[in-house]
Amino acid sequence: MPEPMDASRARRLIEGCLRRELAPDAALPRENVDLVEEGVLDSMAWVSFLRALESSTGAPDLGSLLMGRPSSIESVLAAIAASDGPTVAELPVKTTAIADGPVEGVFLVSSGTAFGSRNVPSEEVDREFGMPVGKLRKRAGILSIARVAEGESELTLGARAAQQALRAAGCGAGEVDWILATSETHHSYPSLGAQLHSLLLARESCGVLDIGGACLGLLNALAAARAFLAAGQARTILVVSADVHSRILAPGRVVGEFGGLFGDGASAFLLRARADGENAYRLGEFQFGCAGQYAAAIRVASAEAGAPGGALEVQFDGEALSRAAVSRMEKVLHDAALRSGFALAEAAGFATHQPNPRLVELLARHLGVPVEKFPLIARTCGNLGSSTCGAALHTALAAQAEVPAAKRKPVFLASLGPGLLFGGGWVEPAAGRA
Amino acid sequence: MGPAFCVIGLAREAEKIQSLRPLPPRGKGWAHFPHRRGDILEGSLLRLPAPPPHVEDRTSTRGLRKVGEVGEAEIVPFLRQAETAGSLAELFGCKIRESRRGAGLYAAPGEAQRSICGCETQNVRLELCGNELRASLVLPSGEALRDLPMVDRDWNEFTEAALAGERGANRHARLERFFNSRFHNKVICCPHHYIRLGLTRPFHDRCWVMLDTLFPLPSQEWLEEF
């Protein structure tokens, strides 16, 4: 935890912020004077002073801590001393190498998920793409695809998942220090993270970071959040993934064997530097890599100008990609098991990327674990891009919430992105090993 | 506003519904207003020349008499037919500025064309900040308005009741938890959720944007839930 700010530094910051609200030649009031009651500041200036102070001290809860107390410098000093917010300016710079071993105290405290509200049978998708009816069901194991309805977007799905995660933790958007967002389909500005920040009404001093990696984006974001929290640069972080493929990978733009696999969805996770609540999970280590030899197995780019219907150029070697996907996910899951000290057989679940359900069945066979341990999001929703792994993790954790805390087990994570990027890790019950 | 408060009503003129602000015969605020929200009143209101933006001011020249009432859910459809806006620029017909330190928004008195406007919101959050109740909201345009003084009388009374000493320990934390959790389902998901923004009287050449009305109104029963 950050060290408390010393009183002389706190006084200096208070004076600096107060001077910005007072007339230039005004004398500083005594510490016990009620600034509002005595008319030193009006209510707008008082709140403005507190917001400036929250920002400069890095303690976002000052306004809340001052409720029921006089609006005096004395009270503000006491609130700064009582705040457990990260006093960023005071922290020594420290680095935390992931390779150094597990970082103590980074916890996933709640999660949420949202899917496009239209559930489209795979046979209908076959027809849309001009494929033989039954192809997606037989070849890929996909029964239906979740697609957005009019009015739904990455933003609305992401916000829905985020609000679910916030409410599950009883956490206000004002408590969030960073929003880390990832999407493989949102390519406009303001970025998804910035739009989520506004829609959720996070406080202005909450940072935003949009993270790439396509289907690996969620794990990238979780790893970045873990580093921020471990370094003491944040107290609460919201990680959100949201993908709406149906407006990009549409019939006429891409072939059905590729575009027909994808659905629309979102996931969200609230991470903290302390294990709040009985459903908290400690975030384990992450491992990432890039198998460049498979870079050509999947490429998606805008077609040259003048191409009919805004077609996308999709290079998709399904067979090579399938082999690479299974081998890399198998590798990172075995590595995660070794580093965590948990056997794969002990896992409560596997939250992995799911290019299609058939590949998940193959991966389960290779690992020697029952396929039932993989929440099969892709079977009813399709491949949700960066949100597949998130929706699977949310589902696995929701199932674990029904189990007594002492009997809960870890969930392993693995995902992939074009490149071929890969990564994995695990979460384990905060209460300790079963 | 001090101990007095302002009252906003709706009046139908021809086919148009518009907001107006009945004022007592003297002064700008009511120390006591013997009617409730939703009451339908009859009376004589005089339009005196008022400098913009408070063009809705009407002086009450004889007692307002209650002739009926409508429920909370019935008020909102009328509010939606009155002045509405979907973006910051449309709210008061002028540029809305941010205070230099970023807490609160204001309009220049000479620029604003009106002082009352309703709007739909994508999200609303209430927050306690140093003994002040503040609201932040997102307009349909995606623009976020932060740290608006919350002056809705019912919501302020609800907050006071929630923080009353007899409610036991951790009152502030409990109320904050309510604002962060159940508030969403009770208020934002309510079919007649609607807000009305207003501008304060000019103060140091600024008319601050405030949250005048938040529907649905809080229920005393909610206090038993936290």
Side-chain angles (χ1 to χ4, degrees), chain A residues 90-177:
Chain A
E90 290 283 283
L91 282 174
V93 175
K94 57 181 180 183
T95 55
T96 310
I98 289 179
D100 287 347
V103 177
E104 290 293 321
V106 176
F107 299 91
L108 193 164
V109 297
S110 66
S111 61
T113 191
F115 303 110
S117 58
R118 287 195 306 129
N119 193 263
V120 183
S122 63
E123 289 75 12
E124 194 177 321
V125 179
D126 290 331
R127 276 190 285 271
E128 285 174 355
F129 280 96
M131 297 190 295
V133 171
K135 185 170 184 178
L136 278 176
R137 182 183 290 264
K138 285 179 198 147
R139 295 281 299 276
I142 291 175
L143 309 182
S144 60
I145 296 284
R147 285 189 182 163
V148 287
E150 194 181 352
E152 289 181 321
S153 64
E154 288 95 343
L155 178 61
T156 62
L157 294 184
R160 230 162 70 199
Q163 278 162 341
Q164 191 184 345
L166 288 168
R167 281 201 299 276
C171 174
E175 293 176 53
V176 176
D177 300 312

Side-chain angles (χ1 to χ4, degrees), chain A residues 20-21 36 42-52 54 60 62-71 155 163 166-167 170-175 197-204, chain B residues 98-105 122-125 127-132 134 136-138 142-149 159 163 172 176-177 180-182 184-185 203-204 208-209:
Chain A
R20 289 155 66 182
E21 301 295 339
V36 177
D42 60 44
S43 70
M44 296 303 295
W46 165 242
V47 171
S48 179
F49 161 65
L50 291 180
R51 293 297 187 222
E54 285 174 346
L62 285 186
S64 167
L65 289 167
L66 280 161
M67 281 302 298
R69 294 188 187 186
S71 308
L155 178 61
Q163 278 162 341
L166 288 168
R167 281 201 299 276
C171 174
E175 293 176 53
H197 186 285
S198 292
L199 185 54
L200 296 172
L201 287 169
R203 65 172 197 279
E204 193 162 300
Chain B
E98 190 179 54
S99 75
R100 204 147 49 91
R101 258 74 65 190
L105 298 163
Q122 295 190 51
N123 195 6
V124 178
R125 186 158 66 83
E127 188 182 3
L128 299 163
C129 182
N131 297 320
E132 303 288 336
R134 288 292 189 262
S136 296
L137 57 97
V138 188
E143 294 162 300
L145 285 65
R146 296 173 187 282
D147 282 328
L148 308 183
T159 303
L163 298 177
H172 298 113
E176 283 189 325
R177 203 157 46 241
N180 289 336
S181 51
R182 292 170 189 237
H184 188 272
N185 279 341
F203 181 70
H204 295 321
W208 293 97
V209 181

Side-chain angles (χ1 to χ4, degrees), chain A residues 44-416:
Chain A
M44 296 303 295
W46 165 242
V47 171
S48 179
F49 161 65
L50 291 180
R51 293 297 187 222
L53 205 52
E54 285 174 346
S55 177
S56 60
T57 58
D61 51 353
L62 285 186
S64 167
L65 289 167
L66 280 161
M67 281 302 298
R69 294 188 187 186
S71 308
S72 65
I73 295 174
E74 202 171 50
S75 300
V76 174
L77 277 166
I80 290 174
S83 172
D84 61 352
T87 51
V88 174
E90 290 283 283
L91 282 174
V93 175
K94 57 181 180 183
T95 55
T96 310
I98 289 179
D100 287 347
V103 177
E104 290 293 321
V106 176
F107 299 91
L108 193 164
V109 297
S110 66
S111 61
T113 191
F115 303 110
S117 58
R118 287 195 306 129
N119 193 263
V120 183
S122 63
E123 289 75 12
E124 194 177 321
V125 179
D126 290 331
R127 276 190 285 271
E128 285 174 355
F129 280 96
M131 297 190 295
V133 171
K135 185 170 184 178
L136 278 176
R137 182 183 290 264
K138 285 179 198 147
R139 295 281 299 276
I142 291 175
L143 309 182
S144 60
I145 296 284
R147 285 189 182 163
V148 287
E150 194 181 352
E152 289 181 321
S153 64
E154 288 95 343
L155 178 61
T156 62
L157 294 184
R160 230 162 70 199
Q163 278 162 341
Q164 191 184 345
L166 288 168
R167 281 201 299 276
C171 174
E175 293 176 53
V176 176
D177 300 312
W178 278 91
I179 294 173
L180 272 52
T182 185
S183 172
E184 66 179 19
T185 60
H186 187 281
H187 300 137
S188 58
Y189 291 94
S191 69
L192 176 62
Q195 290 189 50
L196 281 168
H197 186 285
S198 292
L199 185 54
L200 296 172
L201 287 169
R203 65 172 197 279
E204 193 162 300
S205 58
C206 164
V208 170
L209 184 60
D210 284 276
I211 291 180
C215 301
L216 187 63
L218 180 78
L219 294 195
N220 286 345
L222 288 174
R226 180 177 182 269
F228 278 26
L229 288 163
Q233 297 298 298
R235 191 170 55 163
T236 303
I237 295 182
L238 183 62
V239 170
V240 183
S241 72
D243 301 273
V244 174
H245 296 96
S246 60
R247 294 194 180 122
I248 297 174
L249 305 178
R253 299 193 80 194
V254 294
V255 296
E257 287 78 3
F258 180 71
L261 301 172
F262 290 87
D264 306 331
S267 68
F269 299 90
L270 195 70
L271 283 83
R272 281 188 160 155
R274 58 172 193 265
D276 284 343
E278 60 172 19
N279 292 327
Y281 280 74
R282 185 188 302 274
L283 219 56
E285 297 171 51
F286 286 94
Q287 178 196 17
F288 293 98
C290 179
Q293 63 272 37
Y294 297 107
I298 179 167
R299 289 179 193 269
V300 182
S302 298
E304 284 182 20
L312 293 171
E313 275 181 9
V314 177
Q315 192 175 319
F316 175 56
D317 180 348
E319 201 175 314
L321 198 59
S322 301
R323 276 201 312 275
V326 172
S327 75
R328 285 306 181 279
M329 285 203 284
E330 188 183 348
K331 178 182 180 303
V332 291
L333 288 169
H334 276 302
D335 287 351
L338 281 175
R339 288 211 309 267
S340 69
F342 292 106
L344 289 175
E346 284 182 75
F350 295 86
T352 67
H353 183 48
Q354 300 175 8
N356 66 61
R358 294 278 182 257
L359 279 188
V360 178
E361 289 163 11
L362 186 61
L363 176 62
R365 276 205 302 277
H366 280 222
L367 293 170
V369 296
V371 71
E372 290 73 27
K373 289 201 173 183
F374 291 74
L376 269 179
I377 302 300
R379 182 175 284 161
T380 51
C381 298
N383 178 344
L384 303 179
S386 65
S387 301
T388 309
C389 184
L393 178 56
H394 169 79
T395 307
L397 297 182
Q400 281 285 283
E402 305 298 318
V403 176
K407 293 190 172 172
R408 291 181 191 162
K409 295 173 177 175
V411 177
F412 286 98
L413 315 169
S415 194
L416 307 156

